[in-house]
Amino acid sequence: MSFPITRHRRLRGSAGIRGMVRETVLNVLDFIQPIFVTYGTGVKNEISSMPGVYHFSLDTLKAEVDEIASLGIPAVLLFGIPETKDAVGSSGFAEDGIVQEATRLIKKWYPDLLVVADTCLCEFTDHGHCGMVHTHTLDGVVHGDVINDASLELLTRTAVSQARAGADIIAPSNMMDGFVQAIRAGLDANGFEQVPIMSYSVKYASAFYGPFREAADSAPQFGNRKTYQMDPANLREAIREADSDVLEGADMLMVKPALAYLDVIRTIRDQFDLPLVAYNVSGEYSMVKAAAQQGWIDEQAVVLEMLTGMKRAGADVIITYFAKDAAGWLRG
Ligand code: PBG
């Protein structure tokens, strides 16, 4: 490269030429907007740690879904806050569970809007773990572990009930071993062989989920999730996790969180051919919101830069609480 024959600035001289050579372009078709649904009537409660994100009861949900659909966002990701919780998370797979009811309504209002169902137990179990637990109490302190294989049965029931309610995509986030295979078999046995699995393949035990656990009332009541979610320090393990999910029949892979894991997104993109989803999680959302509320950053510019970074790193699809905002900004 010999200066001045090579002048990189030639391709930056105008908005027109910058647009022409731009390598990564955000598209509203890549966004998934999460929604939190809850019981009760007339509920539209802002989640205190996630400004601009709400709990909706079934009767207030329509306006939110109208807005999402009108922005051209193709998909929503449903999380449910049930009225009752128990040891096995039975409100997660109840026929009239909150996610199942919301799914039926959304599909009735907007048959073409994709409903992605998060398949996990932590919102529905009284202990807040993503599977079934065995516990004992010693000196007043509860100890326990999540039982892998027994949990698969419950997760499969949850996935099947979500598909039965009309969910278009099953997105299991529980990080049990063998969950893709178990859920695939359950879906197929019940006539849902056409329903894809978007696997949370590479999900780290991350502090960035803090605001979500307030939003979903899903914080573990003892211990933490480190025996099933991944150690943030590991990259080779991400390849092993993704590899298992591919072998078990996943249709899409996911990396979660996104911002501190862009190298993981790139690595999975390079090693696997399945569509790749990045989850821009609650803590990533709340940090930006907080700084923007202080006037410390330009929210729109920062959000679009972050989402572009995820896509540049290799994500095809982005789950983000900013989906509505970003869709509006992209529309200009
Ligand atoms: C359920 C689940 C979690 C998230 C998505 N699905 C929480 C967790 O694993 O504790 C986090 C989403 C976010 O932080 O935005 N297991």
XYZ file of all heavy atoms in Angstrom, residues 34 36 50 77 79 118-123 128-130 171-175 200 203-204 206 208-213 216 218-220 225 228-229 256-257 279-285 319 321, ligand 1:
403
model
N -39.183 -8.908 21.991
C -39.710 -9.656 23.141
C -40.926 -8.949 23.747
O -41.005 -7.719 23.735
C -38.555 -9.649 24.146
C -37.344 -9.248 23.362
C -37.843 -8.354 22.269
N -43.550 -9.303 27.360
C -43.869 -9.962 28.634
C -45.370 -9.927 28.853
O -45.956 -8.836 28.906
C -43.167 -9.248 29.795
C -41.664 -9.320 29.712
C -40.927 -8.275 29.164
C -40.984 -10.443 30.173
C -39.535 -8.349 29.075
C -39.601 -10.514 30.092
C -38.874 -9.472 29.533
N -36.212 -1.611 33.183
C -36.206 -1.616 31.714
C -37.183 -0.553 31.191
O -38.270 -0.889 30.708
C -36.595 -3.005 31.171
C -35.656 -4.116 31.586
S -36.139 -5.725 30.891
C -35.638 -5.504 29.172
N -41.179 -12.464 20.616
C -40.727 -13.545 21.496
C -41.500 -13.408 22.796
O -41.430 -12.362 23.449
C -39.220 -13.405 21.755
C -38.594 -14.346 22.789
C -38.739 -15.800 22.391
C -37.111 -13.993 22.978
N -42.659 -14.079 26.643
C -42.331 -14.533 27.992
C -43.575 -14.371 28.844
O -44.298 -13.378 28.708
C -41.195 -13.704 28.589
C -39.880 -13.890 27.882
C -39.428 -12.933 26.993
C -39.114 -15.022 28.107
C -38.217 -13.104 26.329
C -37.907 -15.195 27.445
C -37.450 -14.234 26.554
N -40.486 -18.772 24.084
C -39.326 -19.120 24.902
C -39.715 -20.340 25.744
O -40.676 -20.290 26.500
C -38.954 -17.942 25.804
C -37.716 -18.210 26.639
O -37.861 -18.790 27.741
O -36.610 -17.845 26.209
N -38.981 -21.424 25.556
C -39.312 -22.652 26.276
C -38.350 -22.841 27.444
O -37.193 -23.206 27.251
C -39.261 -23.866 25.325
O -40.146 -23.616 24.229
C -39.689 -25.131 26.046
N -38.851 -22.513 28.623
C -38.045 -22.620 29.827
C -38.988 -22.767 31.001
O -40.187 -22.549 30.867
C -37.169 -21.376 29.997
S -35.811 -21.660 31.159
N -38.460 -23.130 32.151
C -39.338 -23.294 33.313
C -39.153 -22.196 34.348
O -39.955 -22.076 35.275
C -39.085 -24.658 33.967
C -39.359 -25.891 33.105
C -39.067 -27.158 33.904
C -40.798 -25.904 32.607
N -38.093 -21.378 34.206
C -37.725 -20.501 35.332
C -38.802 -19.480 35.686
O -38.902 -19.045 36.823
C -36.385 -19.825 35.080
S -36.335 -18.765 33.628
N -39.624 -19.096 34.718
C -40.698 -18.146 35.044
C -41.855 -18.842 35.758
O -42.715 -18.182 36.320
C -41.238 -17.485 33.761
C -40.203 -16.708 32.968
C -40.244 -17.073 31.485
O -41.293 -16.888 30.845
O -39.211 -17.567 30.984
N -37.428 -20.917 40.733
C -36.807 -20.026 39.750
C -35.717 -20.650 38.895
O -35.025 -19.941 38.159
N -35.555 -21.973 38.959
C -34.558 -22.599 38.085
C -35.222 -23.060 36.792
O -36.446 -23.177 36.698
C -33.856 -23.756 38.812
C -32.749 -23.268 39.695
N -31.554 -22.800 39.189
C -32.673 -23.130 41.050
C -30.778 -22.410 40.195
N -31.427 -22.586 41.330
N -34.378 -23.341 35.802
C -34.868 -23.617 34.450
C -35.251 -25.085 34.263
O -35.635 -25.496 33.172
C -33.810 -23.197 33.432
S -33.322 -21.466 33.618
N -38.308 -21.798 21.001
C -36.967 -21.306 21.342
C -36.613 -21.724 22.770
O -36.883 -21.006 23.730
C -36.912 -19.788 21.202
N -36.009 -22.905 22.916
C -35.693 -23.398 24.260
C -34.446 -22.714 24.823
O -33.392 -22.709 24.190
C -35.429 -24.895 24.033
C -35.606 -25.158 22.572
C -35.615 -23.856 21.864
N -34.593 -22.164 26.038
C -33.511 -21.348 26.622
C -32.964 -21.952 27.905
O -32.302 -21.281 28.668
C -34.042 -19.943 26.921
O -35.083 -19.994 27.872
N -33.263 -23.238 28.130
C -33.017 -23.802 29.456
C -31.617 -24.364 29.685
O -31.206 -24.596 30.814
C -34.041 -24.901 29.697
C -34.014 -25.920 28.565
O -33.232 -26.852 28.587
N -34.836 -25.741 27.540
N -30.896 -24.658 28.601
C -29.514 -25.147 28.682
C -29.349 -26.502 29.386
O -28.283 -26.798 29.946
C -28.592 -24.096 29.317
C -28.340 -22.888 28.425
S -27.483 -23.300 26.867
C -25.777 -23.420 27.421
N -31.365 -21.826 21.957
C -30.412 -20.977 22.695
C -29.183 -21.861 22.925
O -28.945 -22.346 24.029
C -30.968 -20.573 24.048
C -32.045 -19.510 24.121
C -33.326 -19.733 23.635
C -31.785 -18.281 24.736
C -34.317 -18.769 23.765
C -32.770 -17.311 24.871
C -34.039 -17.559 24.387
O -35.018 -16.607 24.537
N -25.523 -20.131 25.520
C -26.091 -19.182 26.474
C -25.207 -19.142 27.709
O -25.004 -20.163 28.376
C -27.512 -19.607 26.840
C -28.167 -18.690 27.862
C -29.619 -19.043 28.063
C -30.233 -18.179 29.149
N -31.644 -18.501 29.383
N -24.689 -17.968 27.972
C -23.747 -17.816 29.076
C -24.463 -17.486 30.382
O -25.534 -16.865 30.377
C -22.741 -16.711 28.725
C -21.775 -17.143 27.650
C -22.039 -16.884 26.304
C -20.617 -17.842 27.973
C -21.166 -17.307 25.305
C -19.734 -18.267 26.984
C -20.009 -17.995 25.651
O -19.158 -18.415 24.671
N -24.778 -15.127 32.606
C -24.392 -13.731 32.467
C -25.076 -12.818 33.465
O -26.276 -12.953 33.730
C -24.748 -13.265 31.044
O -24.588 -11.872 30.919
N -25.687 -9.904 32.728
C -26.501 -9.012 31.888
C -27.984 -9.399 31.862
O -28.784 -8.716 31.259
C -25.949 -8.972 30.455
C -24.691 -8.169 30.313
C -23.449 -8.795 30.286
C -24.725 -6.782 30.200
C -22.278 -8.064 30.157
C -23.562 -6.039 30.068
C -22.335 -6.677 30.047
N -28.348 -10.532 32.486
C -29.775 -10.898 32.546
C -30.478 -10.271 33.744
O -31.673 -10.538 33.951
C -29.962 -12.429 32.640
C -29.239 -13.252 31.607
C -28.828 -14.556 31.899
C -28.970 -12.740 30.339
C -28.157 -15.326 30.957
C -28.295 -13.509 29.396
C -27.886 -14.801 29.716
O -27.223 -15.559 28.800
N -29.768 -9.479 34.530
C -30.336 -8.940 35.768
C -31.709 -8.306 35.596
O -32.676 -8.696 36.263
N -31.866 -7.314 34.698
C -33.178 -6.677 34.560
C -34.269 -7.643 34.104
O -35.415 -7.536 34.531
C -32.928 -5.592 33.498
C -31.459 -5.320 33.571
C -30.823 -6.646 33.911
N -33.921 -8.618 33.264
C -34.910 -9.599 32.805
C -35.497 -10.373 33.976
O -36.681 -10.683 34.006
C -34.257 -10.589 31.835
C -35.166 -11.711 31.397
C -35.911 -11.606 30.240
C -35.273 -12.883 32.149
C -36.747 -12.646 29.833
C -36.105 -13.918 31.758
C -36.846 -13.798 30.596
N -34.650 -10.677 34.944
C -35.151 -11.498 36.054
C -36.141 -10.711 36.900
O -37.030 -11.296 37.510
C -33.988 -12.070 36.855
C -33.259 -13.092 35.994
C -32.106 -13.770 36.695
N -31.383 -14.580 35.714
C -30.196 -15.129 35.941
N -29.615 -14.964 37.106
N -29.612 -15.841 34.996
N -39.275 -10.861 34.440
C -39.934 -12.164 34.320
C -40.144 -12.810 35.684
O -40.662 -13.920 35.757
C -39.102 -13.082 33.432
N -38.051 -14.207 37.631
C -37.497 -15.546 37.428
C -36.135 -15.744 38.071
O -35.388 -16.631 37.679
C -37.390 -15.823 35.919
O -36.446 -14.945 35.333
N -35.798 -14.904 39.052
C -34.492 -15.065 39.690
C -34.466 -16.379 40.468
O -35.446 -16.730 41.128
C -34.217 -13.891 40.625
N -33.367 -17.135 40.392
C -33.294 -18.375 41.164
C -33.374 -18.079 42.666
O -32.752 -17.136 43.141
C -31.949 -18.970 40.763
C -31.184 -17.891 40.079
C -32.166 -16.877 39.593
N -27.210 -20.074 38.103
C -27.413 -20.922 36.927
C -26.099 -21.476 36.343
O -26.066 -21.935 35.214
C -28.141 -20.130 35.836
C -29.474 -19.530 36.259
C -30.430 -19.435 35.087
N -31.497 -18.470 35.251
C -32.525 -18.581 36.077
N -32.612 -19.626 36.879
N -33.461 -17.639 36.118
N -25.647 -24.943 34.593
C -26.211 -25.259 33.274
C -25.924 -24.204 32.218
O -25.796 -24.538 31.052
C -27.703 -25.612 33.341
C -28.619 -24.762 34.215
C -29.501 -23.864 33.643
C -28.627 -24.895 35.594
C -30.373 -23.115 34.434
C -29.482 -24.142 36.390
C -30.351 -23.252 35.810
O -31.196 -22.512 36.584
N -25.806 -22.938 32.608
C -25.415 -21.932 31.609
C -23.889 -21.859 31.554
O -23.188 -22.214 32.496
C -26.023 -20.576 31.968
C -27.555 -20.621 31.980
C -28.187 -19.287 32.314
O -27.519 -18.348 32.731
N -29.503 -19.207 32.148
N -26.031 -15.798 23.194
C -26.655 -14.898 24.159
C -25.773 -14.781 25.388
O -25.344 -15.816 25.902
C -28.015 -15.487 24.541
C -28.762 -14.737 25.592
C -30.001 -15.485 25.992
C -30.610 -14.726 27.145
N -31.617 -15.471 27.817
N -25.493 -13.571 25.911
C -25.808 -12.256 25.364
C -25.039 -11.968 24.073
O -24.350 -12.836 23.559
C -25.350 -11.295 26.469
C -25.168 -12.126 27.693
C -24.808 -13.480 27.208
N -28.900 -12.520 20.785
C -29.863 -11.977 21.748
C -29.224 -10.793 22.465
O -28.324 -10.950 23.275
C -30.281 -13.057 22.758
C -31.557 -12.748 23.528
C -32.477 -13.746 23.814
C -31.847 -11.459 23.983
C -33.649 -13.476 24.517
C -33.013 -11.185 24.677
C -33.901 -12.185 24.953
O -35.054 -11.912 25.657
N -29.718 -9.618 22.107
C -29.305 -8.349 22.742
C -30.110 -8.239 24.056
O -31.232 -7.788 24.054
C -29.649 -7.227 21.742
C -29.386 -5.817 22.215
O -30.082 -4.885 21.803
N -28.412 -5.625 23.050
N -29.506 -8.681 25.157
C -30.288 -8.983 26.366
C -30.643 -7.747 27.191
O -30.198 -6.633 26.917
C -29.566 -10.023 27.253
C -29.335 -11.318 26.487
C -28.269 -9.445 27.820
N -31.396 -8.019 28.251
C -31.973 -6.947 29.067
C -30.925 -5.981 29.615
O -31.115 -4.765 29.570
C -32.774 -7.561 30.212
O -31.965 -8.403 31.010
N -29.834 -6.499 30.155
C -28.828 -5.612 30.740
C -28.187 -4.712 29.696
O -27.829 -3.557 29.977
N -28.067 -5.215 28.485
C -27.513 -4.409 27.394
C -28.479 -3.284 27.039
O -28.067 -2.167 26.716
C -27.255 -5.313 26.175
C -26.251 -6.428 26.462
C -26.143 -7.477 25.352
O -27.063 -7.597 24.518
O -25.145 -8.197 25.334
N -29.747 -3.591 27.115
C -30.795 -2.590 26.866
C -30.784 -1.523 27.960
O -30.743 -0.323 27.686
C -32.147 -3.294 26.824
C -33.351 -2.389 26.729
C -33.821 -1.948 25.491
C -34.042 -1.984 27.880
C -34.940 -1.134 25.411
C -35.160 -1.165 27.797
C -35.608 -0.743 26.557
O -36.706 0.065 26.479
N -32.625 -10.574 18.419
C -33.697 -10.390 19.400
C -33.300 -9.178 20.218
O -32.227 -9.155 20.836
C -33.819 -11.613 20.332
C -34.116 -12.880 19.526
C -34.890 -11.368 21.383
C -34.050 -14.162 20.366
N -34.881 -5.680 22.667
C -35.942 -4.840 23.243
C -36.012 -3.497 22.510
O -36.934 -2.722 22.730
C -35.698 -4.645 24.744
C -35.615 -5.970 25.479
C -34.382 -6.586 25.722
C -36.766 -6.644 25.856
C -34.300 -7.827 26.352
C -36.706 -7.884 26.477
C -35.469 -8.464 26.717
O -35.404 -9.699 27.321
C -35.023 -17.951 30.584
C -34.466 -16.763 29.897
C -33.648 -15.747 30.420
C -33.466 -14.826 29.402
C -34.154 -15.311 28.287
N -34.742 -16.507 28.608
C -33.127 -15.510 31.779
C -32.125 -16.362 32.402
O -31.604 -17.303 31.817
O -31.892 -16.084 33.573
C -32.685 -13.535 29.526
C -33.122 -12.463 28.611
C -32.607 -11.106 28.910
O -31.815 -10.851 29.833
O -33.026 -10.213 28.165
N -34.110 -18.896 30.975
